[in-house]
Amino acid sequence: MILNIAFKEFYTNLVSARFAIGFLLCLLLIPLTLVVNINDYKSKVTAYETQQKEAKEKLKIRVWSYLQPRIVRPPESLSILSRGISYQLGNYVDLTFTAKPFKAQGKAGASDNPLMGTYFSVDFCTILAIVLSLLALLFTYDACSGEREQGTLKQVLSNSMPRSSVLLGKVLGACLTLMPIILFCYLLCALAIVLSLHIMFSADEWLRMGLVLLASILFFATFAFLGLFVSSVFRHSAASIIVCLLAWVFFLFVVPNVSGYVAGSLLETPSEKALDANTYNFTYEKWREAKKFRGEQPRGAFAWEDSRPAAGGAIETSGATPVFLEWYRQGNKVVYNHMIESAEGRWLLEKEFVDKQDRQRLLAERLSMVSPSQVFRLLSSSLCRTDVESYKRFMESTHRYREELIQYLRNGNLFDSYKFFTAVDPNKMMNEDEYINYRTEGLLKTMAELDQWYKDNPDKSWASIYTRDEPSVDRASLPLLDLSDVPPYQGVPGGVALSLKDSLVKLAVLVCICVILFYLSFIAFLRYDVR
Amino acid sequence: MFSNIVLREIHQHILSFRLHLTMILILLLFGLGSVAFIKGHTADRQSYEQVYSTNLEKERSWAEKYLSNYMIRVRSLMLAPRSDAFITDAKEKMMPNQFWYSGFCVFGFEVPNWASNDLMESFAELNWVYIVSIIIGFTVLLFSYDLVSGDKENGTLALTVSYPVSRGMLLTGKYISVITVAMLVLLPGIVLSLIILLLSGAVVFDGILLAEIAGFLAGTALFVACMAALGLLSSIITTRSNVSLLVCLCIWLGSVVVVPNSALFFTDKLFPIKSSQSVKERINQAQQAVNAKHKAIYDAVKGSNVTAEEHFRMYEKQNMEWFQAEKTIKDSWNNSLFYQFSGSRRLAAISPVSLFEQLSEALVGGGLVRLRKAWSDMSLYQSQLLEWFKGVDAKDPESMHIYDPSNTFGMTHKIVDFAIVPQFQERRASFAERLDGARLSLALLIIYTVIAFSLSFVLFVRYDVR
């Protein structure tokens, strides 16, 4: 009997204008978002490939201090379903010995034009949330009040059917009507994925997409119950549609923005500028301390060939006096130990900052969970791994990897080796006098003579005495380090189970809202005055 | 007679349930938005002042070392948070509002990455324009979708038309009443918001701000008129009110969700720009060419008796060309950025909601209008600063008057009181500039309204009331 009512609802809905328009709306919007998001994903993949190439380049090193691997986070192919936060955060991290990774860099997939940051792009799940909830409300707003107005409700209830069965029949009917639309949307999406040359889904990803489909059915049911509830509270369908639509605008368009805005003013986060200043001062202080460990530079210790500094103050020299090389090597071990330790201190400052940001984000998310559509969007971004939790997991993995690298260098006593900062043989380097002799083409023989020359010719530029270029070593001819022993980056743990764990709370909230609304509509319908 | 129709319609609306519900929602949002604005604005102001004063201190220490040191240092300048952002923030937090410049060159602008919490999904602020464009826009459609089709279903339309009133007058009466009611719904919210703002003292109410509020109200009336005309049209072209409602919802979804969100995609296709990567490479190449050219010059004089001054002059030339190489490429790129952004706005102009946002943004002199003005003012300021510096430098007999943008060897090493160094002052856009920015959106909104209304007028005159 319940099925009878469900089928009747299904048929009346199927021939109605709202079904046709809803279908048309999906037919227009879904392909548009799919095209937009697949295009965005493509540019993300391109960015990823460029980063990977640069990461490979970065590993062609001749000295250990340049071991600053770039870890690139591969783009999540499910981001075409739900963008989540992935387009706002960076996608790679450059590891250094002197600081722990704080924030991922690079804006993968963001427009090259900084002015265009004012536009948002919507994803499949957002469009689905907007259209599904609207359709759910449109299919149910007059379930009771509309039938009462037509007078058919009286007749239906005068049968020997319990009211609860009638209600269940109506819910089932609405779900049946919407099933073709939901399935159609997902089929379109699946088709786009299969046909697109740029996306390959693994079994795991198909599975997670299936979970998103289940979540959207649950989400749809929630709004269907909301519509039923409103419809069985109001006597006129004109009133119930207004309430439904205002609730819809409130949940879909007001709550997400209000929650962010309110969370922003309730929990303030310190400005990153202040953090930058603090960390800068901290690091500067630590460098000054570190410099002390090097001691006085002995006379005759200097480098000429490109002591090109890299991030974290690492240098590579290929031309320096043996005195310089020895002095520098002795300093390194202490200095690097000190810097690695102080990285912890700097990280404390940064961690506090990130934690505050994260608390603000959590508050905004919790506030926005008033709205079932936000819960659905959060849920789908967890399932698609485009949420903050996945980002944090990535950052943690880079932290772990950095520790592994440091351990590796320590085990091999590499911090205090010559190989740490130079690829040349220190015994084959010129000393100071040889250097001056070489540059002046034999005009001056020693350091003392050069000093004397400067005294005699105070207004002359050095260019007039150094007639020959610096003795250069062809860097390309120096051997690259063999990195095959270095532990590889393990990647971020994955698996459906982990995504499920992340999304469990949101799922529970959605189920709760759904059950409460069902209960409310049940009660309201049982007490409904059919006259 | 006309006023009778209007009054009757307004009376009906005022008694309706939807009006009360919307009014409550609007009051709630305006209240919440204003309170949140005051908190947020005070915090923004504080952090801005902190940044400003640290920057100023840094600049003072450079200038107090010696003036030319101040000139060659690259520094950043940030635009202050607008106190009239409660009308519209014009998404300025997501737009570039920081400039990089030195006394010799303006380098570029950027979005300060520290302005917002990047772990949080970006959201629209709950300001007046947002409430009007989303909630009021929606409400107007809700008020107008059944103006004709609803009356027809009730059977009242046939009766009304049988009065000795022209159909045109009847339609105009209905139309005006919807606009009036929408403005009536809005007013308590605005008053509430103003009271909260006044009591808090976070915003100084001066003549300009009052004029901006008046301009906002006029813009809102136009926007409401446009949405009402669209609602009216949909209620005439459909025969049943629930179909009319669906059409209205589609219009609304199109203008709020589809158009603004797909503008980014279509802009990239229709107004392509060079990638920032390729621009970087081009700058690199140009600069390397400059270096190679000057390397040859240095090599030519090697070994000869070159004075230090001649050396400095050579450096100056090289550095100047180096800067110029970057500046030429960067400037044309920046222009293309503005071009692309304006293009995207023209695309979004299909939607009345986007038009209204653009209109109010120009009226308060924020967003793009502000950025463009500040950007051109910045270049002006930099050239004035350089002129001023050259004047000071000319008076110094010890200076060699070599204006090298990255070395201070050839310039004055005198110490100048920092107070007399010209500082950049952001000037607010003048009335004419704001109007100029608003021109297109204003014209389009009026055109949409007129087209929608005259179409419904014609259709209503031929309407079958049975």
Side-chain angles (χ1 to χ4, degrees), chain A residues 160-453:
Chain A
S160 58
M161 284 268 295
R163 284 196 178 192
S164 53
S165 314
V166 177
L167 185 76
L168 277 179
K170 282 183 181 297
V171 173
L172 269 180
C175 286
L176 265 183
T177 324
L178 222 75
M179 268 325 225
I181 296 187
I182 298 184
L183 288 179
F184 171 73
C185 291
Y186 275 88
L187 274 179
L188 263 183
C189 184
L191 201 66
I193 292 163
V194 172
L195 289 183
S196 166
L197 301 169
H198 311 282
I199 308 172
M200 289 293 276
F201 268 21
S202 62
D204 170 70
E205 279 158 337
W206 284 115
L207 189 59
R208 280 189 283 147
M209 184 168 157
L211 290 175
V212 178
L213 169 64
L214 288 182
S216 32
I217 293 174
L218 185 62
F219 166 71
F220 167 74
T222 313
F223 266 90
F225 287 134
L226 178 68
L228 271 181
F229 171 59
V230 173
S231 152
S232 42
V233 165
F234 288 93
R235 303 188 53 75
H236 296 282
S237 65
S240 56
I241 183 69
I242 298 291
V243 174
C244 282
L245 286 180
L246 284 177
W248 178 71
V249 166
F250 182 73
F251 284 145
L252 271 289
F253 295 92
V254 176
V255 170
N257 294 316
V258 169
S259 54
Y261 200 43
V262 169
S265 60
L266 281 182
L267 270 187
E268 278 164 28
T269 52
S271 99
E272 197 167 333
K273 198 90 175 173
L275 175 78
D276 279 350
N278 282 343
T279 48
Y280 178 81
N281 287 341
F282 183 85
T283 316
Y284 184 71
E285 202 49 45
K286 291 296 168 190
W287 265 117
R288 276 200 6 195
E289 282 172 25
K291 258 186 170 173
K292 272 187 232 151
F293 298 125
R294 290 214 187 271
E296 271 303 286
Q297 188 168 343
R299 189 169 164 84
F302 61 91
W304 59 85
E305 174 74 37
D306 258 4
S307 331
R308 274 187 303 185
I315 65 165
E316 177 190 358
T317 45
S318 48
T321 57
V323 190
F324 174 87
L325 294 174
E326 179 57 23
W327 167 75
Y328 202 77
R329 186 188 71 78
Q330 281 176 5
N332 266 343
K333 187 172 186 180
V334 199
V335 167
Y336 271 85
N337 266 338
H338 181 72
M339 292 314 293
I340 288 165
E341 255 170 50
S342 71
E344 303 283 336
R346 178 186 163 133
W347 170 241
L348 282 184
L349 293 174
E350 290 169 338
K351 188 172 183 329
E352 193 195 339
F353 178 81
V354 177
D355 283 350
K356 272 188 182 156
Q357 276 196 333
D358 202 37
R359 270 206 294 281
Q360 195 187 47
R361 191 248 333 164
L362 267 178
L363 179 68
E365 272 182 12
R366 284 189 188 143
L367 284 177
S368 73
M369 281 199 189
V370 181
S371 147
S373 69
Q374 270 310 94
V375 182
F376 169 65
R377 289 189 57 213
L378 291 172
L379 178 61
S380 53
S381 74
S382 290
L383 286 173
C384 296
R385 293 210 197 113
T386 49
D387 59 341
V388 176
E389 291 305 322
S390 314
Y391 167 76
K392 277 159 69 183
R393 216 167 276 140
F394 168 70
M395 293 307 285
E396 276 162 23
S397 77
T398 62
H399 278 225
R400 270 199 304 276
Y401 184 54
R402 179 177 167 273
E403 300 300 325
E404 281 172 32
L405 283 185
I406 291 175
Q407 205 45 52
Y408 172 79
L409 289 185
R410 280 194 173 143
N411 290 346
N413 282 334
L414 292 167
F415 281 114
D416 54 346
S417 65
Y418 281 118
K419 277 271 178 214
F420 190 68
F421 65 100
T422 181
V424 298
D425 184 355
N427 299 322
K428 288 181 185 159
M429 288 285 103
M430 293 180 182
N431 65 28
E432 44 173 345
D433 294 342
E434 284 164 355
Y435 174 79
I436 289 159
N437 192 8
Y438 176 86
R439 294 243 15 216
T440 58
E441 293 181 282
L443 213 63
L444 303 176
K445 296 273 185 296
T446 58
M447 197 75 164
E449 281 183 33
L450 183 71
D451 289 344
Q452 190 56 43
W453 182 84

